[in-house]
Amino acid sequence: MTAPVSRPGVTGQLTLEWGHTPSHAEEDFIVGEGNDLAYRHIVHFPDWPSPPWMLIEGPASSGKSHLARIWAERAGAALAAPEALEDLSRAGGTAPLVIEDLDRTGYAEAALFHLLNQSMRDRRPLLLTAREPVANWAFETDDLKSRARLAAHFPIATSDDIQLSQMFVKLFGDRQVTVDPRIIAYLVARMERSPQEAVAMAELMDEMALARGTAITRAIAAEALALRQAARDSAQMVLDLEDVEGHSDDE
């Protein structure tokens, strides 16, 4: 069992969090309009074109890692750590690999390039994930980006009310919390529409309910929406102020 972690509640009261592990099981993956093509491509493995690479692109919390774990389970793939790429390319072989967060984890450019070349030569299946399009990756070698563009490319997103609602059900389920579907519908109709915001809202409401010793209610949902909006307004004010100060410095 996960050891409890003490944390301050929203009201300042100290609460205990027993921790939660998001499920990456295939049966818990929510298939919707925004990720259907990516999921279908994974299901059709090993019948992939050459080179046998797949690139999943999407924002934080959009389900990239969940899809990667589904494929890893189906393909018997290992997760390639950044420091292992050079050794993997030298060792060769055709064992499938998952390489996550290519655009922000600090992979050595030469090692990644060598591994892509080895994979192309030996037809080693790779599943790659990133938040940004290939053109925005912070690599200097155009040849590396050209290689990455050979992957079957699948942008994913949370695109509709049903999928966003199902995402809330999973997020709360991962925390072993049951929430009235009417509260989820209330949230989906009023929140900023992104998977990152759904994750933030679920975490905030869980913290609020724990601090108060209650279930997640509509009142908690309304307060969480207001708190998140206030945080966005505050962040925007800071950006506007920095913009004004920047213009003043230029004059």
Side-chain angles (χ1 to χ4, degrees), residues 44 92 132 164-165:
H44 282 110
E132 295 288 333
L164 202 55
S165 298

Side-chain angles (χ1 to χ4, degrees), residues 91-197:
T94 60
L97 296 172
V98 173
I99 308 176
E100 287 220 77
D101 299 321
L102 271 174
D103 54 337
R104 62 189 187 90
T105 305
Y107 290 94
E109 196 160 338
L112 179 58
F113 183 66
H114 292 158
L115 182 61
L116 291 179
N117 282 339
Q118 183 270 317
S119 172
M120 182 181 293
R121 182 179 65 249
D122 297 340
R123 288 191 51 79
R124 171 181 236 158
L126 301 178
L127 188 148
L128 319 172
T129 74
R131 292 187 184 181
E132 295 288 333
V134 174
N136 297 342
W137 292 3
F139 294 121
E140 296 179 358
T141 307
D142 289 336
D143 284 347
L144 189 152
K145 292 184 179 181
S146 295
R147 292 284 190 278
R149 289 189 180 97
L150 296 175
H153 179 212
F154 294 90
I156 63 172
T158 301
S159 59
D160 54 37
D161 287 358
I162 293 175
Q163 191 177 355
L164 202 55
S165 298
Q166 291 174 331
M167 184 176 181
F168 268 119
V169 172
K170 182 183 183 302
L171 288 168
F172 288 127
D174 287 341
R175 294 172 174 271
Q176 299 183 333
V177 174
T178 301
V179 178
D180 189 322
R182 290 171 295 184
I183 295 175
I184 292 177
Y186 174 84
L187 289 168
V188 169
R190 293 164 176 81
M191 63 178 282
E192 179 183 289
R193 306 183 63 76
S194 72
Q196 302 100 304
E197 185 64 13

Side-chain angles (χ1 to χ4, degrees), residues 224-245:
L225 285 166
L227 287 170
R228 290 293 297 166
Q229 184 60 53
R232 285 192 296 273
D233 291 344
S234 178
Q236 187 59 51
M237 287 178 62
V238 171
L239 291 175
D240 291 344
L241 181 59
E242 290 175 348
D243 188 47
V244 170
E245 292 175 345

